Each structure stands twice: as structure tokens, then as C-alpha cells.
Amino acid sequence: MTLTSPYHSVSHSMIRVPDIALKGIMESRSDIVEEIEVREEEMVYVSVSENVKDSELTLKWAVRNFQGKKLCILHVHQTSKKMLTMGTEYSISRVEDHQVGAYHNSERQCMDDVLKTYGLICERAGMWAETLHIEMESIEKGIVELIAMHNIKKLVMGAAADKLYSKKMMELKSKKAIHVCQKAPIYCHIWFVCNGNLIYTRRGDLDETCGEALFPPPPLPSSILVHSSSLRQNSGQEWGYNELASSSPYFRKVRSAISSQDANGGTTRSSSLSSGRNSYACDNISRSDSADSISSPRSSSEVVENSTLRSISRPKRSINETELRAIPHSNEGLYNASSVSAQEEIASDKLYDELEKTMAEADNSRQKAIEESIKCRKAEKQAIEAIRRTKASESSCAEELKRKKGIEEALASGKEEIEKLKPKLDDIMKDLQLALEQKSSLEFQIRNSDEMVQELEQKIFSAVHLLQRYKKERDELLVELDNAVSLAEELRKKPVEDTSMARMTQFYTEFSLSEIKEATHNFDPSLKIGEGGYGIIYRGVLRYTQVAVKVLHSNSSQGHLEFEQEVNVLSTLRHPNLITLIGACPEAWILIYEYLPNGSLEDRLSCKENTPPLSWQTRVRIAAELCSVLVFLHSCKPQSIIHGDLKPSNVLLDANHVSKLSDFGICCLISQDELSSNNTTICCRPDYAKGTFPYIDPEYLSTGELTRKSDVYSFGIILLRLLTGRPALGIAKDVQTALDKGNLKDLLDCTAGDWPFVRAKQLAQLALSCCEMSRNKRPELISEVWRMLEPMKFSCGASSFRRGSEDHFQIPQFYMCPIFQEVMQEPVVASDGYTYETEAIKGWLESGNDTSPMTDQKLANDILIPNHALRSAIQEWLQQH
């Protein structure tokens, strides 16, 4: 019969012992069972990995084989040595500490999620599990550390990867499992599992040795049967207590405990037991019980139910011959009735009394031994807890020492840096001292300059006052002179002419021929700056002002009419891009204009006298200025003005390359009520067509009708010339061919710089639409042409800053618009991921394009997102520079 306790498995033979022995055994067993029940059941730990698939079968095996026990999920977390950023791995030593901390925190969050997943697996199986984890570089060392820290007695872990499992697998394949098996404390019992199958078991030493010492095995049951094979037939000896003790391992341990107790107390119990070896006769065993036990084997429960213990105080009787005959033949060897005598019965009674005392003393010794074992167990737990706390303290102390060492190293490094920076600090202090001295010197100079400025201001005020008085006197003299000259001229002219000239003198200053000759050194050929069909232009200084003097040809049949036309127009109009008429000399048909040092647009396009070419930004701005002044002339009230002779030679440039439109000799003036129904016909000249041939409207040549669209045609030719720098004749056809073939870049004027192709293409398409043969197909200046050129003019305002400043600093490339090639003012992000100037990308999209200007791929959408961060950066950069 085998009895099993939660701690040991002990096998015993089925024998019957005297009643008093059974009574003592039962009492001791109840004490031990009671003590065992008090003990708390140990927890089973299951080691898992970060991958749930790798440890799921191991956890399920533990849940399946340890139902009703407490589980704890054990995990060792390894922090990464590398960080994965933007698809690239970086060593944590090359990354800042706060980034490493954030990355490790995200790993710990993932670890918590994995442990929660393992907890859910246990919950589905109807078990509740705790979690225990630690961070270490080595997983196997971490498992061993946790076993030692938490006094783990039972552990389940993987033997190898599941894919390495085979039915013949009988040993550990994983280096981690081998390390744990070799290095784990001896008291830890470990089950190694692979693919849901138990591969290997490492039994803890405390289970086999220390466990028996601390917790004795349970005693025999209350009723023990006598097995026939375990009894001996001895004619000279009867079965006594020593035979029982020698045949049962448990009784041997009890006798050993009693002997040791007697050795401490000074009394030897073994001798008393051995002296009664043959003194006990088993006359108190009934024949019926012997027969039942021999005839059929029974289960332990049946034996407990059917067997009864006899008290020592019950009267004992001898076995007579009749009863001996009734015993089956198989038991004849056990008892020999004829050998029992009265003396033996008396000796047996004495031995019973002595045995009862011995058993009582053994019970006391056993109870004390159990109490001592409980105390030892408690002391062991306290010692283990103290060891765990000591290790934790040592670990924290080591961490503190490590941290202290790091701080000391950082402090030493800081001191070294300070020592290195001391020479630099000395140099800086010297520079600061020198700067302070220079500051003092400059402040002294500033004070002196302020005093000088005050003195000069007083002198300037006096000079200005004197100049104003002289100017007033001069003006009075000039007025008197003009009146005298006017009166003299009135006497010479006809009445009709007198009326016309009197009207004109109201709007401009009239100069005498002598003044003009003096200003031009009598029309010195060296002062000649230009010549046209109207006359010759000289440079001169008239009344302390540099002017351009335009002298009409004396043989011109229309000279006086053109003179009056230009005086009437320019003396009454003012516009930033319209040339300023300073005065005139009617007696010689001479016009005096403001002097523009950069000559005509024709000269600049041909780089006359090796002048530098115009940049593409300046050319775009000039085109926008020409459009602006044409819109102004066409919108004048009460009379609209058609220039009629628009060409680059009539567009003059000032010192800042601002364009000024001139030469209004053949312009047409017409009132608003003379406009035709289609709002195009302005002036009819069937007799002749004036102007320069490549710039003249073809319909004007064929019909003699000069319209607003005639100026639009001439403007388109000028715009094509600005783009390509080529002669005007046949330029429209060349540009159209280049657009059709897709090689417009080859036709652009490379001397103007790197043209933004998108803007150049828009300007070329706009110019060709202005050069349509039919005036009805040409765009309106105010609604179509100006709408496109105005934002271009605005954006080109920043180009002058860029070109003028590029010698001093380099503009960041990402501040430049890919289309306009200039610093962006309002950057936006398109669906292709590139950033553009708002006006540039809008112009691109409004031109009918649905592809990216950079990649030529189709745009996903036309949504534009303002790039506020880049805009702020550009503005800050512009302020700094």
C-alpha cells in the first residue's frame, strides 16, 4: 500500500502491529498532517519570452499540469543596443539620452502588453497568474538571478525552440536552458518543455534530502494489514516490535529519532525495544481478522473500515489447541500455540507496559522534532528573505556606486573642459577689453560728429533760406521773361496759331531757343544720344537740370502736328511709367524730357556699348510696367489714347531700369462716345499707316483701323523679344514652333540668367495670344494680360534683393521657389510634396496643367497647404541679412 503526501511518497508493507503502537502512530500522523495542511502551497513560475508564439505552448503545458496551483509568469527583458529610426539602425551610444530613454520606455510598454497577453491565456484557462520581470542584458543570467532573489522552488521553461522539437528529443538544445539547468540553485525543481511536451526534468536537492529532514514522511494508516509474504515462521521467536520496526522505513526513522532523543536525555530506548524482541506474542489477533487478511487482499479504505484496534487494557487470552486447529494451514508458521506459556504471557504484559511508556516518550520526541523542523523552516524562510534583501541592497548599492562613478567621471570631464576653455576665456576677455576701448573711442567720435552735424545743420538751414530767396527771385525773373517772349511770339503768329499756342502754354514750361542752345552747347554732336524719324535727341543741362532735348527735323511735313500732339498728351498726363515732359520750344519744335541714363530698351536688348544684359526678373518687370501704362492710356477720360508706335526704341530706362514710354507723335485720341459697338475701332487712317513694320498690327495695315488691340499686338512682339532677345521679324512663328516641339528652353535668352521654365512658358503663351492675326482673338489688357503679369511683377520685386546681395551671402536652396527661382514670400506645399511660391503654382495650375512642375507626374489633387514654418524661417532669415 502506498501513501502519498504533498511532499513525499513512501511505500510501506501491509502488516498488523500491536494496538498500542497503532495508537501512537495514529496520534503522530494526525499531528504531522495537521502541520502539513498549515503550510502554504508553493507557487509555480513559468519563464516566457518576448514572442508569445514561442512560449504559448510552454505556458499552456504549465496550466494543464498544475491545475489548482498558483502560477507566476516570469520574464527577463533585454533593452535594445540599437535604435531603428527612419528605416536605419543606430547604436544607442550615438543617440541622445532622452531619445534612448523614450525608446526604452516604448520597449517596456510593449513588454507590458506581451505580459498582459500571457495573463489573458491563463484567464481563458480558468487560472489567475501573477507577473514577475527584470531587466538584464542576459536572459539566462536574469532567470538565475530571479530564482535566487525570490527563492523559486518550481520553474517551467522552454528546452529549445519549438521548430527544433522531435519525438526523439531527450536533452536540452537551448543555451539558455543549459545555463539555467547548470547555474540555478540546487533547491529549484525545473521542468523543461518544448512544443508542449516535457523533455527534461531537473529535480531539486531539497525535494530529496533536505525536504525529508525538514518535513518527515506521513505515518502509516490507522489499520495496517498483515501480508502473508511478510510474515516469518520462526519456532524459536515470535513477531515482535523490532521486526515491525526493521521492516518499515518509517519506523526505522522514528526509532532513530527516539534514540537521539534518549541520547540527549540520558536514557537508551533501543535496548528496551531490543530486549522485548521475543516477548510479545500476537495472541490478541483474532482468527477472523487473520482469515480475512489472508483470504483476499483489500483496498486501504476497506481495511480502514473493517479493521479495529484493540486497546491495551482489554484482557488478553491464550490461544488453545482448538483455535490453532481452526487457523488455515498457511498461517501455521506464524504462531505456535504449543510454545506459548504462562511465563511468556507475564513477560509480554511487562513489555507492553514498557512499550507504552516508550511510545509515549517517542510521541513527545516526535512532537518536539516536528516543532523544531517548523522552526527550522521558518528560520530558513527568514534567512532566504534576508539573502534576497541583501542581494537587493547590494544591487542598489552597486547601481549607486555606478551612478556615483559616472557623476565623478562627468565632473572630471567637466573640469578638463573648463581647463581647456580657460585660455579661450582669457582671449575673449582680452577681445572684450579691446572692444570696450574701441567703444569708448567710437563714442567720443560720435559726440564730435553730433556737434559737427549740429553746426552743419545750422549752416544748411541758412543756405536753404538763402537758396529759397534766390529761387523765388529767379522764378519771378523767369516769369517776366516768359511773358515777354510770349508777347513777342503772339505778335508774330497768326490768330489761329496764337489761340492754339496760348492753350498749350498753360500746361508746360516754354524755353527759348537760346537757352536750349546753351544747354546743348549749340547742339554739340558729342552730346547726341539718339536719332529717329522724328528728329535728333541731345543730352544737356537746362536750368541746373539734366535733360534730353528732342529736335524735330526741319524738313518734316508733319512735324508741327506731331509736336502739338505730343505736347498735348504728355503735358496733361502723369504715370510712373510715362516719360515726363519738362518743357518745349515752340519756335523750333523742340521737346525737353527728363534724362534717362540707361537709354532705350532696344539698346539694352542688343547690349549696346557692351552694357550688361538685363536679367529675366528685370525683363518680366518691364513687361508688367508696359502693360500698366498701356492700360492707363486706354482707360483715360474723357479721351482714350492709342499709342500706335509701340516698340523697344520708344521704351526708355532710368537709372534703376524702370521703363518709361515715350514718343506719342502718332498716337490717336478719341472720346468714349466714338467707340464702336464692338469696343475696338478707335481711329481710322485709310491714307497711310505709321509705325515700325514688325510691330504694326496686320489688320491695321490692311484696314487702316488703329485700335486698342493694335497696341496689344505690338506689346506681344516686345514680350517675345524680352524672352528670346531675337529680332522682331518672324519671332512669333519661331516661338510657336519651339512650343510645339517642346524645346522652348533652347530659344530663351540665356544672357538673362536661368529662366524659370514654367514662368517663361506662361509668358510665351501670353505673348503668342497677343500676336494673333485676328484682333478678336487677342486678350484684353486689363482683364487677362495684367492679371497674369501683376503677380509676376510683385514676385520679381524680391529678385533685386537676391541679385544685389548674392555677393555677400548664400541663400539657402530650400528658400527658393523651384518655378520662379527666387526667395519665396508665401510658400505652399502641393500634393507632389514640393514647396512653391503661391502665385507660381497657382499660375501653373490655372494654365491647365495637372502635372508636377518638378517630377512631371500627375498631381493627386490641386490642394495647396500653406507652409507657415518655412515662411517664418524665410522672414527671420531676411531680417538677419
Side-chain angles (χ1 to χ4, degrees), residues 510-557:
E510 186 175 326
F511 298 95
S512 63
L513 183 59
S514 59
E515 281 185 286
I516 296 174
K517 286 184 178 180
E518 183 181 356
T520 60
H521 301 288
N522 198 16
F523 304 111
D524 187 354
S526 63
L527 300 177
K528 179 180 176 181
I529 58 176
E531 184 176 1
Y534 178 80
I536 303 174
I537 303 174
Y538 296 91
R539 185 180 76 250
V541 179
L542 183 62
R543 299 182 183 181
Y544 306 102
T545 303
Q546 196 169 21
V547 296
V549 179
K550 187 176 183 180
V551 181
L552 275 69
H553 290 304
S554 58
N555 57 355
S556 174
S557 59

Side-chain angles (χ1 to χ4, degrees), residues 472-572:
K472 184 177 180 181
E473 293 177 358
R474 185 198 67 179
D475 292 339
E476 292 175 354
L477 292 173
L478 288 175
V479 169
E480 291 177 3
L481 179 61
D482 291 339
N483 292 336
V485 172
S486 299
L487 182 60
E489 292 295 331
E490 287 176 359
L491 295 174
R492 291 190 304 156
K493 298 295 180 179
K494 295 180 182 180
V496 176
E497 292 180 356
D498 292 342
T499 304
S500 175
M501 294 306 296
R503 179 167 49 85
M504 286 189 295
T505 56
Q506 297 175 1
F507 302 102
Y508 67 96
T509 302
E510 186 175 326
F511 298 95
S512 63
L513 183 59
S514 59
E515 281 185 286
I516 296 174
K517 286 184 178 180
E518 183 181 356
T520 60
H521 301 288
N522 198 16
F523 304 111
D524 187 354
S526 63
L527 300 177
K528 179 180 176 181
I529 58 176
E531 184 176 1
Y534 178 80
I536 303 174
I537 303 174
Y538 296 91
R539 185 180 76 250
V541 179
L542 183 62
R543 299 182 183 181
Y544 306 102
T545 303
Q546 196 169 21
V547 296
V549 179
K550 187 176 183 180
V551 181
L552 275 69
H553 290 304
S554 58
N555 57 355
S556 174
S557 59
Q558 299 292 329
H560 68 284
L561 296 178
E562 294 176 0
F563 174 82
E564 293 180 3
Q565 183 84 300
E566 188 151 1
V567 169
N568 287 336
V569 171
L570 294 179
S571 62
T572 57

